[in-house]
Amino acid sequence: FDPKDGYTVLQSYSKEYSSDEEVRAWLDEVVAHGAVATFSPYSRAFMNRGEDMKHPLNDAERQELTRRVKALSDHPGLFAWYMADEPELVPVLPQRAQEIYETVRDADPYHPCIMLNDTIAGIARYERGGDVLMPDPYPCFLKGGLAASPLEKTSSFMLAIREATGGRKPAWVTPQAFNYGDYGKMGNRGPTLLEIRNQALQAAIYGAKGFIWYTYSQANNYPDLWLGMPFVARELQEVQEAVLAADAPGVVTVKAPKPEHLHVAARRVGDDLFIFAVNTATEPQDVSLTVKGAPGTLAVVSEGRSVTLNGGALSDHFDTYGSHIY
């Protein structure tokens, strides 16, 4: 793990098995590498697993949860609390998820609480379980083919957060950067660089402001992950002001063979205009984008080229699952 590769946040899924002292020592190491971390607020005395997850929070659980949070919340390596991983698959009682969130929030109001969901229904059901909603809309990529689920699944999950919360809560995302075949799913593969970048930019278009990928542990197994994940992470850092900026509505008009698969957002950062554009069609598209108030040329980020606008419109080619940042 190296922040020079563009990674700034490390997520652990197993710190509940560690003592307070072991977690603090681990956080010391994370900080020494120039990063911060997110992990669950649970402990060996309160694992939040099994049948307990189907019942309201009791007083003993609340006390241990409060103790654990206060024991760790002052460490500079703590970035956020990871409240639940796909709770709809257990299923966790929504009341319990909300009570856990409220307990952690009251014990530590200075670090956000993250809720991760695997389904659109789960986003709506558990939105009161965290400050930040960060789903994992994995497309599942197939050997010899494309994505098993429509690649615009990422967009639909981001839009579901907006709908479930009325725009009140931030949207982050956990994109797929692993091969499901390594977990026993036959016929699966890891994503290509194009597919990694598409997921990230697609999420950004629909409001994602944070990106915690799953999983770094497979990165060295596949060139597209080993080379592609740091590339996309560094690229997002370079355009982070545009990722974090509000949409500039009405700036871009799309003309494409399959416009429903051409996802676009315009963002203004001072005097600069950024346009994110992503193709989720299962075939290439030649696209025309009419851009209000754009200069005569736009640089294309990371591609070493620029595009010329004629009559306020640019024309460009999008490969299958291709993306461009102008």
Side-chain angles (χ1 to χ4, degrees):
F1 179 85
D2 191 343
K4 292 179 182 178
D5 286 333
Y7 307 127
T8 57
V9 179
L10 177 66
Q11 180 160 311
S12 173
Y13 293 86
S14 59
K15 286 301 173 238
E16 58 264 41
Y17 294 99
S18 301
S19 68
D20 297 351
E21 294 73 21
E22 289 169 336
V23 174
R24 293 186 73 90
W26 173 72
L27 286 172
D28 289 343
E29 190 174 351
V30 170
V31 171
H33 282 79
V36 289
T38 176
F39 53 94
S40 80
Y42 312 121
S43 66
R44 281 189 177 273
F46 173 45
M47 297 295 287
N48 196 37
R49 294 179 181 269
E51 286 298 313
D52 292 340
M53 300 175 79
K54 300 179 181 180
H55 304 287
L57 198 65
N58 63 42
D59 288 342
E61 292 172 331
R62 187 175 285 105
Q63 290 171 9
E64 173 58 19
L65 185 58
T66 299
R67 185 209 65 77
R68 176 72 159 186
V69 168
K70 288 187 175 181
L72 300 174
S73 60
D74 66 329
H75 198 290
L78 172 64
F79 175 63
W81 298 108
Y82 189 64
M83 307 307 293
D85 190 274
E86 303 175 346
E88 60 266 49
L89 302 186
V90 177
V92 176
L93 181 70
Q95 176 188 341
R96 180 181 178 87
Q98 182 176 347
E99 289 172 346
I100 289 174
Y101 160 62
E102 290 171 349
T103 301
V104 174
R105 177 201 63 194
D106 291 347
D108 176 18
Y110 304 108
H111 294 94
C113 297
I114 300 172
M115 172 59 67
L116 181 140
N117 295 106
D118 180 63
T119 62
I120 287 176
I123 290 171
R125 192 176 187 200
Y126 294 97
E127 66 94 2
R128 295 187 179 185
D131 300 300
V132 176
L133 304 189
M134 187 181 74
D136 55 359
Y138 300 148
C140 299
F141 300 98
L142 302 176
K143 286 183 179 179
L146 299 173
S149 298
L151 199 58
E152 59 270 22
K153 181 178 182 179
T154 299
S155 300
S156 64
F157 273 55
M158 294 298 103
L159 290 170
I161 294 174
R162 192 180 303 175
E163 181 177 350
T165 68
R168 294 178 294 105
K169 292 185 177 182
W172 295 356
V173 67
T174 293
Q176 182 180 347
F178 67 95
N179 176 8
Y180 252 121
D182 290 347
Y183 299 104
K185 273 197 173 184
M186 299 297 293
N188 274 244
R189 61 172 175 82
T192 65
L193 171 56
L194 279 182
E195 291 160 346
I196 293 169
R197 191 173 189 242
N198 187 301
Q199 292 178 81
L201 298 186
Q202 195 184 150
I205 286 169
Y206 290 99
K209 306 302 183 187
F211 308 80
I212 301 182
W213 296 78
Y214 188 86
T215 173
Y216 186 79
S217 63
Q218 285 194 15
N220 288 336
N221 297 348
Y222 305 100
D224 278 277
L225 298 182
W226 176 49
L227 298 172
M229 287 178 63
F231 172 83
V232 172
R234 290 193 300 266
E235 183 179 61
L236 287 172
Q237 282 193 337
E238 289 180 4
V239 299
Q240 63 180 306
E241 289 184 300
V243 172
L244 296 174
D247 285 335
V251 171
V252 181
T253 303
V254 175
K255 185 177 180 181
K258 293 189 174 182
E260 71 276 13
H261 284 290
L262 208 288
H263 308 264
V264 177
R267 308 273 170 81
R268 293 193 182 278
V269 179
D271 295 330
D272 294 327
L273 174 67
F274 290 81
I275 298 169
F276 298 89
V278 170
N279 179 30
T280 57
T282 55
E283 59 191 63
Q285 294 200 74
D286 290 312
V287 173
S288 174
L289 302 178
T290 301
V291 185
K292 290 182 180 179
T297 60
L298 289 171
V300 188
V301 175
S302 301
E303 297 185 35
R305 65 183 179 99
S306 60
V307 290
T308 301
L309 282 76
N310 296 310
L314 68 89
S315 297
D316 210 349
H317 177 78
F318 286 74
D319 290 329
T320 300
Y321 295 167
S323 309
H324 300 302
I325 306 172
Y326 304 100

